[in-house]
Amino acid sequence: MKIVEVTKHFNVAITNEEAEVLSRFDEDTPVVAKSEFTDRQQLMANQLVNKDILYRRNNHGQITYHKKTS
C-alpha cells in the first residue's frame, strides 16, 4: 500500500499495482492512451479514476488518462 496526496490536505491509499500505473505519469508524459496499458493496467487506471487521482477523456474515439493536479 502507498499513500498519495490528492490535494494539499487529502491523502488516498492505493495498492502497489495502482502505484505502478500512476508512475507512468510524469512531467514528460502527462497523458497516457488507454491502448498503451495492458488489460490489468486498464483496470488499475479505472480504479484510480474512481479514487479521483486520474481522469479519463474521450477525444474523437481515443480514450486517454490524465493525472489530476492539485
Side-chain angles (χ1 to χ4, degrees), residues 4-20:
V4 175
E5 187 174 329
V6 178
T7 62
K8 193 167 189 161
H9 299 288
F10 185 65
N11 297 326
V12 174
I14 62 173
T15 66
N16 291 338
E17 283 183 295
E18 291 169 340
E20 183 182 322

Side-chain angles (χ1 to χ4, degrees), residues 18-45:
E18 291 169 340
E20 183 182 322
V21 169
L22 192 58
S23 71
R24 301 269 309 262
F25 297 85
D26 57 18
E27 290 180 13
D28 297 331
T29 314
V31 177
V32 178
K34 180 180 178 182
S35 60
E36 294 181 33
F37 289 131
T38 64
D39 289 341
R40 180 69 180 170
Q41 290 171 330
Q42 288 176 17
L43 178 65
M44 295 297 113

